[in-house]
Amino acid sequence: AHCPPPMLMPKGSRICKKGITREWMYYLYHGTLKVYTCNSHGGERLLAFLGEDSLFGLDCLEADKPSIVTIECITDAWVSPFKADLLKTIMREDPDFAYALALYYAKVMRQLCFDAESQSINDAKIRFSNFLYLYVTSNRSDTVPMSQQELSAATNCSRSSICRICNEFKSLGILRTNGRGLTVLDQTRLKAFCGF
């Protein structure tokens, strides 16, 4: 009722760009997005994948502060843009929406805190297991459409470590690699390697 009609963003489009995008946030109707940041040497650190029914660009809620991440479409995506004033309007009209938004922020914050803890104190196998388990359970799909390089960036592990762990988990029947991605075959056994 409040947003403009969804617009198509083709695969490969950057919707938000670190240090540049301001004021605009988005709702994702359909598609998959990659959230990442880069250092001055071009090194990429994958932060998350987003699926349908996600709010993103929330780091632009304060209009005078630019985005701290880049968000790119890894499939064609349908999105609606909005600004902070629209959120205020909806929150005034619908307190349940305001509460749902607070819960959404809390979920994002918990994930960021979990990632920070996991990345700082756990070894590569635990970080990799945590990431895979949370990815498949939150996306309700056993398929992880990521290359070993992307998994390396997502877990802050070397690519050789990811390759070694994938081979170990394949031999244990926990996962199967398929081209540019992998499939988790046994979530229960995977969870046994997690740090929680």
Side-chain angles (χ1 to χ4, degrees), residues 7-19:
M7 58 185 185
L8 173 63
M9 302 296 291
K11 178 180 178 179
S13 302
R14 287 187 179 155
I15 302 175
C16 294
K17 189 160 183 191
K18 177 181 177 180

Side-chain angles (χ1 to χ4, degrees), residues 68-123:
I68 58 172
V69 297
T70 298
I71 302 176
E72 181 179 326
C73 301
I74 59 172
T75 66
D76 287 349
W78 290 90
V79 303
S80 278
F82 61 93
K83 290 187 176 185
D85 58 344
L86 176 64
L87 277 184
K88 288 182 201 172
T89 299
I90 299 172
M91 290 165 96
R92 275 194 299 269
E93 292 176 4
D94 187 352
D96 287 339
F97 171 80
Y99 181 68
L101 184 62
L103 288 178
Y104 187 86
Y105 263 106
K107 181 181 175 185
V108 170
M109 183 55 89
R110 283 182 62 83
Q111 183 63 49
L112 289 171
C113 292
F114 177 82
D115 287 347
E117 179 187 41
S118 175
Q119 298 278 352
S120 63
I121 63 174
N122 290 325
D123 66 23

Side-chain angles (χ1 to χ4, degrees), residues 1 8 15 20 27 34 39 51 57 61 65 69 76 87 103 106 121 127-128 136 153-154 160 168 177 184 191 193 195:
L8 173 63
I15 302 175
I20 295 175
Y27 176 79
K34 176 172 78 167
N39 63 25
L61 183 61
K65 294 191 169 78
V69 297
D76 287 349
L87 277 184
L103 288 178
I121 63 174
R127 293 201 305 268
F128 180 71
V136 298
S160 61
E168 178 184 347
T177 55
V184 174
K191 188 176 181 181
F193 287 94

Side-chain angles (χ1 to χ4, degrees), residues 131-179:
F131 179 83
L132 282 188
Y133 185 78
L134 291 172
Y135 185 93
V136 298
T137 54
S138 64
N139 288 287
R140 295 185 290 280
S141 170
D142 292 331
T143 301
V144 181
M146 298 171 64
S147 67
Q148 288 189 355
Q149 187 62 43
E150 289 170 326
L151 288 166
S152 170
T155 57
N156 199 23
C157 300
S158 68
R159 188 170 178 196
S160 61
S161 294
I162 296 299
C163 182
R164 179 180 47 77
I165 298 165
C166 281
N167 287 334
E168 178 184 347
F169 283 5
K170 281 195 309 191
S171 69
L172 293 171
I174 294 172
L175 60 80
R176 173 183 69 235
T177 55
N178 37 323

